[in-house]
Amino acid sequence: MLFLSLRSQCLAVVGSLLGSTQVASAIQLDLGSAQSIKNAASTIAFNMMSYYKGNESGQAVGLLPPPYYWWEAGAMFDEMIQYWYYTGDKTYNEVVTQGLLAQISPDKDFMPSNQTLTEGNDDQAFWAFAAMSAAELNFPEPPPKEPSWLALAQAVFNEQASRWETSKCGGGLRWQIFSWNKGYEYKNSISNGCFFQLAARLARYTGNQTYADWAEKTWNWMETTPLVTPQFNIYDGVDMNDNCTKPIPLQWTYNVGTFLMGAANLYNYTDGDPKWRTLTENLLNGTKVFFPPQFGGNIMQEVACEPQQSCNNDQPSFKAYLSRWMAATTQVAPFTREFIMPKLRDSALGAAKQCSGAPGGGNTCGRTWNTATWDGKSGVGEEMSALSVIQSNLISKVAPPVTADRGGTSKGDPNAGTGTSNAKPPDPSLTRQMTQGDKAGAGILTAIVLGGLLGSTWWISFGS
């Protein structure tokens, strides 16, 4: 275990603090009131969107300003689609639609010219998730001249399927698309987990078995690697130059979360296949590391960086995705509710208490949900995570995601993305092999010790 148990008295104190559904904080939250949850979500959504300048004159539409990377804007728009879904508030819908459509290319995929040479498979997938959410939740469709939400998700799937790489490690997606980017020789869980999830959700929405076959192929490959432990902890990634035999044993919330979401959708798509139910249950058990017992066992923590206060600009948003996907899991795999909902409730209460920072009118959200005092941290990721976990407590009050034959309005194109240059490996004339100096300089596998986590844990440089 990563954490030492505290005395039962301490746990009792934590339990008593969490027992109340009313939190005294800058953001008042009563989980027994849908309106209270919506009010809290509205405040946080406003704070998060204040970081976005793409709707202002002269600013780049669809992009967050530095230091945020391209992918996080896609994740933010997905969260705002969820916000509309939970609250019915249409305030941001036009901004979300404009932002998503601004980042598609002439090939009608999420490979815009301003990002093509630097984006990774995981980056592209987070934009596809926003489009997939829009299709599943019947978010208003784009104008007729634009590709549909479903077609955009299908284009990304088709392009990533064409990048399935078998020359080393027997399969899987690389982290990066192009060889000049650090991480090209790295196969990581988030890229493969995103592909798995996207395939599973497309299978459920369209009823097309091909997507389910790809999802199963991806999971089967994961099980051949050391990325999945016997306890269903999901490690970060493996170096192809070691034939994927030595995992980087960092655990992030979004890694197990993306596989959980995929497994639950496959359970639903197959009308309850025991294989996918068992995997869903096992992955839920794998999430327990992110709910440390010393905080009562139900408050989410990003254990690889929060305790050390070493999270970079990306990582504070990761809890948003686990929260989002745990909530959605309860819809497509209802047997998970008893396990999931106490964690979303207690984490939401903790997040609300953290939304008490002085900047931004006194309700800026921090990242340390197990403390009642604002931790001084702020940013898009902190706001997104708080918004996600709080509004997820409305999950029982909204309709489940639609499918093509059950209320879905987004019309797809199963061939989207197949006739583009983005669906092929990079042209060798435009690439070069990375030298040992490149690898050392890029720091693909830069090793540092994170004090207090696993005794010695290896860190990988993020920043795609």
Side-chain angles (χ1 to χ4, degrees):
M1 292 295 291
L2 294 179
F3 306 100
L4 297 175
S5 298
L6 297 183
R7 295 180 181 178
S8 58
Q9 301 97 300
C10 295
L11 291 177
V13 170
V14 172
S16 66
L17 289 172
L18 295 175
S20 171
T21 60
Q22 188 76 31
V23 176
S25 69
I27 289 188
Q28 299 296 313
L29 179 62
D30 179 359
L31 293 179
S33 166
Q35 191 58 51
S36 175
I37 299 172
K38 291 179 181 181
N39 291 344
S42 176
T43 298
I44 301 170
F46 177 83
N47 290 346
M48 181 177 74
M49 291 301 289
S50 70
Y51 286 90
Y52 177 65
K53 307 301 180 184
N55 56 337
E56 298 178 3
S57 177
Q59 300 298 314
V61 181
L63 302 181
L64 284 164
Y68 300 104
Y69 290 108
W70 177 72
W71 75 274
E72 195 163 347
M76 179 188 71
F77 292 135
D78 194 349
E79 196 61 55
M80 294 308 295
I81 292 170
Q82 309 290 328
Y83 171 76
W84 163 81
Y85 168 61
Y86 283 121
T87 68
D89 183 356
K90 302 177 182 178
T91 300
Y92 304 97
N93 285 13
E94 184 176 351
V95 171
V96 169
T97 298
Q98 289 175 344
L100 289 170
L101 296 180
Q103 296 304 309
I104 63 176
S105 76
D107 289 327
K108 299 181 180 180
D109 57 7
F110 289 111
M111 292 283 285
S113 59
N114 64 338
Q115 300 294 329
T116 300
L117 299 185
T118 59
E119 72 176 275
N121 283 305
D122 52 346
D123 304 327
Q124 188 187 30
F126 271 90
W127 286 85
F129 286 161
M132 193 71 231
S133 293
E136 292 169 331
L137 305 181
N138 272 343
F139 189 73
E141 279 287 297
K145 67 177 182 178
E146 302 288 357
S148 70
W149 299 128
L150 179 58
L152 285 167
Q154 289 172 310
V156 173
F157 168 83
N158 286 329
E159 289 176 1
Q160 295 201 351
S162 76
R163 299 176 194 141
W164 188 261
E165 200 280 329
T166 58
S167 68
K168 292 183 179 179
C169 314
L173 289 179
R174 297 174 184 267
W175 178 17
Q176 297 299 319
I177 298 171
F178 299 106
S179 64
W180 52 73
N181 289 326
K182 62 179 181 179
Y184 184 69
E185 297 293 324
Y186 194 65
K187 292 186 176 181
N188 62 346
S189 292
I190 192 58
S191 294
N192 287 281
C194 287
F195 183 61
F196 172 75
Q197 181 191 148
L198 183 60
R201 292 168 69 179
L202 283 168
R204 180 183 177 275
Y205 188 96
T206 66
N208 188 329
Q209 180 63 30
T210 299
Y211 296 121
D213 291 343
W214 268 103
E216 184 165 21
K217 179 178 181 176
T218 305
W219 178 253
N220 289 345
W221 175 78
M222 283 288 296
E223 287 195 303
T224 69
T225 74
L227 293 173
V228 184
T229 75
Q231 295 75 36
F232 286 84
N233 302 124
I234 307 295
Y235 288 157
D236 188 81
V238 283
D239 186 357
M240 294 170 62
N241 294 306
D242 294 324
N243 200 31
C244 301
T245 58
K246 299 176 182 178
I248 303 300
L250 279 178
Q251 296 184 63
W252 301 104
T253 49
Y254 74 165
N255 281 337
V256 68
T258 194
F259 283 105
L260 173 67
M261 180 69 160
N265 272 271
L266 289 172
Y267 168 82
N268 188 276
Y269 167 72
T270 58
D271 294 324
D273 187 327
K275 172 180 179 177
W276 300 117
R277 176 175 179 135
T278 298
L279 180 58
T280 301
E281 292 172 335
N282 287 336
L283 289 167
L284 279 177
N285 286 329
T287 68
K288 289 180 180 178
V289 68
F290 302 110
F291 298 91
Q294 64 263 46
F295 306 125
N298 283 331
I299 300 180
M300 195 184 301
Q301 182 185 65
E302 198 64 65
V303 296
C305 66
E306 270 187 38
Q308 302 80 15
Q309 299 187 33
S310 59
C311 302
N312 68 13
N313 287 314
D314 290 348
Q315 293 148 7
S317 74
F318 290 179
K319 291 190 293 187
Y321 319 130
L322 179 57
S323 300
R324 181 190 305 169
W325 295 331
M326 288 182 85
T329 290
T330 68
Q331 293 180 307
V332 293
F335 66 87
T336 63
R337 289 174 185 160
E338 184 176 353
F339 180 95
I340 288 174
M341 291 313 300
K343 291 175 168 51
L344 293 180
R345 285 193 293 267
D346 287 1
S347 294
L349 293 170
K353 288 184 287 187
Q354 265 299 303
C355 294
S356 57
N363 49 35
T364 294
C365 296
R367 70 178 65 143
T368 313
W369 296 349
N370 53 61
T371 60
T373 303
W374 181 55
D375 59 11
K377 308 298 183 182
S378 62
V380 173
E382 286 82 357
E383 300 292 344
M384 195 191 315
S385 290
L387 175 60
S388 181
V389 76
I390 287 172
Q391 66 186 13
S392 289
N393 281 272
L394 293 169
I395 193 68
S396 65
K397 301 184 183 301
V398 292
V402 300
T403 64
D405 59 358
R406 294 183 182 179
T409 58
S410 191
K411 306 301 181 183
D413 176 3
N415 296 316
T418 57
T420 74
S421 60
N422 297 327
K424 303 173 184 177
D427 184 338
S429 68
L430 300 177
T431 68
R432 63 181 176 84
Q433 293 298 313
M434 296 183 73
T435 67
Q436 289 301 118
D438 290 332
K439 295 176 183 178
I444 295 175
L445 299 176
T446 302
I448 67 171
V449 176
L450 295 178
L453 180 64
L454 298 176
S456 61
T457 302
W458 300 103
W459 183 266
I460 182 166
S461 173
F462 282 77
S464 39

